Amino acid sequence: MNSYILKNDDDERKVLLYKEKTGYSFSPKNGYKRVKKITVLDKGMVSSILEDKVIKAYNRLIKVIYSLITAGDETTSGDVLMAYTELDRIRNILLYKYHEYLKKEFIEKYMKKLYILELELKKVHVMELTDEIEEERGKSR
């Protein structure tokens, strides 16, 4: 197996072996046949890659919560639980998985945003529960 260090710098720097440095590794999409794994050593590049991943996950969560809010009476407990699970997953990624790569300001900013989304999700959940209680009361005779 061959290992390559790709760099796009004109100035000379000492290059350590990539095994001695810690970096972020990932597998590319299926379109690349010969590349099995990519390891990024530059901290700024790693930070920007992971910030993009967190932002994409956050935007997906916003779309899910927006669809729950606009659905109105059609929301179920399962949908709300799925949104809570996704919110908790993003929070754990920020706090535990990527905390050493991301900037503290970025983490704090998105933790505040997640807290606000959690409050909105609780409102949706309460509305959904009151609708279920009203349905049960209406059916009893």
Side-chain angles (χ1 to χ4, degrees):
M1 181 168 137
N2 294 334
S3 299
Y4 300 99
I5 296 177
L6 301 176
K7 65 179 190 173
N8 193 10
D9 290 337
D10 294 333
D11 56 339
E12 291 292 323
R13 284 194 234 165
K14 292 183 180 178
V15 177
L16 299 175
L17 291 177
Y18 74 97
K19 293 179 182 177
E20 294 178 11
K21 292 179 105 179
T22 57
Y24 176 69
S25 298
F26 61 94
S27 300
K29 293 182 179 179
N30 294 335
Y32 302 98
K33 294 181 181 178
R34 296 190 176 145
V35 179
K36 303 290 183 206
K37 183 177 165 185
I38 297 174
T39 303
V40 180
L41 301 175
D42 185 32
K43 291 183 179 183
M45 191 179 292
V46 170
S47 178
S48 65
I49 289 171
L50 295 179
E51 284 177 5
D52 288 343
K53 285 181 81 171
V54 169
I55 291 170
K56 285 179 185 176
Y58 177 77
N59 289 336
R60 278 194 309 263
L61 178 65
I62 286 178
K63 288 178 184 176
V64 168
I65 292 175
Y66 180 73
S67 67
L68 288 176
I69 291 172
T70 57
D73 296 336
E74 299 155 2
T75 59
T76 62
S77 301
D79 297 336
V80 176
L81 180 63
M82 183 198 63
Y84 270 122
T85 306
E86 185 69 19
L87 190 135
D88 192 42
R89 187 182 70 82
I90 295 172
R91 183 181 293 134
N92 286 334
I93 285 173
L94 283 173
L95 291 178
Y96 303 113
K97 189 173 182 182
Y98 296 156
H99 75 280
E100 59 192 37
Y101 300 114
L102 296 174
K103 297 174 187 169
K104 188 178 276 189
E105 297 86 22
F106 180 82
I107 293 173
E108 290 173 359
K109 174 183 168 185
Y110 273 87
M111 289 302 291
K112 288 177 185 176
K113 287 183 175 186
L114 289 175
Y115 177 72
I116 292 170
L117 282 180
E118 185 177 15
L119 292 177
E120 289 298 319
L121 195 57
K122 285 181 181 177
K123 290 178 187 176
V124 170
H125 185 62
V126 167
M127 290 174 19
E128 185 263 328
L129 286 176
T130 55
D131 290 342
E132 285 182 6
I133 291 172
E134 288 176 6
E135 287 176 7
E136 289 177 9
R137 285 186 185 166
K139 292 180 181 178
S140 64
R141 294 180 187 188

Short mmCIF file of all heavy atoms in Angstrom, two decimals, residues 6 19 29 43 57 62 102 106 121:
data_model
loop_
_atom_site.label_atom_id
_atom_site.label_comp_id
_atom_site.label_asym_id
_atom_site.label_seq_id
_atom_site.Cartn_x
_atom_site.Cartn_y
_atom_site.Cartn_z
N LEU A 6 0.48 14.96 -0.01
CA LEU A 6 0.29 15.97 -1.04
C LEU A 6 0.36 17.34 -0.40
O LEU A 6 -0.27 17.58 0.61
CB LEU A 6 -1.07 15.78 -1.71
CG LEU A 6 -1.31 14.44 -2.36
CD1 LEU A 6 -2.74 14.37 -2.89
CD2 LEU A 6 -0.34 14.20 -3.48
N LYS A 19 2.33 9.43 9.96
CA LYS A 19 1.99 8.54 11.07
C LYS A 19 2.37 9.15 12.42
O LYS A 19 1.81 8.79 13.43
CB LYS A 19 2.66 7.19 10.90
CG LYS A 19 2.15 6.42 9.71
CD LYS A 19 2.84 5.11 9.55
CE LYS A 19 2.32 4.39 8.32
NZ LYS A 19 3.01 3.14 8.08
N LYS A 29 -15.78 9.65 -1.52
CA LYS A 29 -16.98 9.06 -2.12
C LYS A 29 -16.58 7.96 -3.10
O LYS A 29 -15.42 7.78 -3.44
CB LYS A 29 -17.79 10.14 -2.83
CG LYS A 29 -18.37 11.15 -1.89
CD LYS A 29 -19.20 12.16 -2.64
CE LYS A 29 -19.79 13.15 -1.66
NZ LYS A 29 -20.58 14.16 -2.35
N LYS A 43 -4.46 21.77 10.48
CA LYS A 43 -5.53 22.00 11.45
C LYS A 43 -6.61 22.93 10.92
O LYS A 43 -7.79 22.74 11.19
CB LYS A 43 -4.96 22.55 12.75
CG LYS A 43 -4.13 21.54 13.50
CD LYS A 43 -3.64 22.08 14.81
CE LYS A 43 -2.82 21.01 15.52
NZ LYS A 43 -2.36 21.43 16.83
N ALA A 57 -25.34 18.97 8.83
CA ALA A 57 -26.21 18.21 9.74
C ALA A 57 -27.20 19.14 10.42
O ALA A 57 -28.38 18.79 10.60
CB ALA A 57 -25.37 17.48 10.78
N ILE A 62 -32.80 21.46 10.86
CA ILE A 62 -33.73 22.59 10.72
C ILE A 62 -34.86 22.22 9.76
O ILE A 62 -36.03 22.53 10.03
CB ILE A 62 -32.98 23.85 10.22
CG1 ILE A 62 -32.15 24.43 11.35
CG2 ILE A 62 -33.95 24.89 9.71
CD1 ILE A 62 -31.36 25.64 10.96
N LEU A 102 -12.42 21.53 16.40
CA LEU A 102 -13.20 22.74 16.15
C LEU A 102 -12.83 23.86 17.12
O LEU A 102 -12.37 23.60 18.23
CB LEU A 102 -14.69 22.44 16.27
CG LEU A 102 -15.27 21.46 15.26
CD1 LEU A 102 -16.71 21.15 15.60
CD2 LEU A 102 -15.15 22.01 13.86
N PHE A 106 -17.03 28.40 17.65
CA PHE A 106 -17.93 27.68 16.76
C PHE A 106 -18.81 26.71 17.55
O PHE A 106 -20.02 26.63 17.33
CB PHE A 106 -17.13 26.93 15.69
CG PHE A 106 -17.97 26.16 14.72
CD1 PHE A 106 -18.56 26.80 13.65
CD2 PHE A 106 -18.18 24.80 14.88
CE1 PHE A 106 -19.35 26.11 12.75
CE2 PHE A 106 -18.96 24.10 13.99
CZ PHE A 106 -19.54 24.75 12.92
N LEU A 121 -38.67 22.50 19.47
CA LEU A 121 -39.11 21.11 19.36
C LEU A 121 -39.98 20.71 20.55
O LEU A 121 -40.94 19.95 20.39
CB LEU A 121 -37.90 20.19 19.25
CG LEU A 121 -38.13 18.77 18.79
CD1 LEU A 121 -38.82 18.77 17.44
CD2 LEU A 121 -36.82 18.03 18.72
#
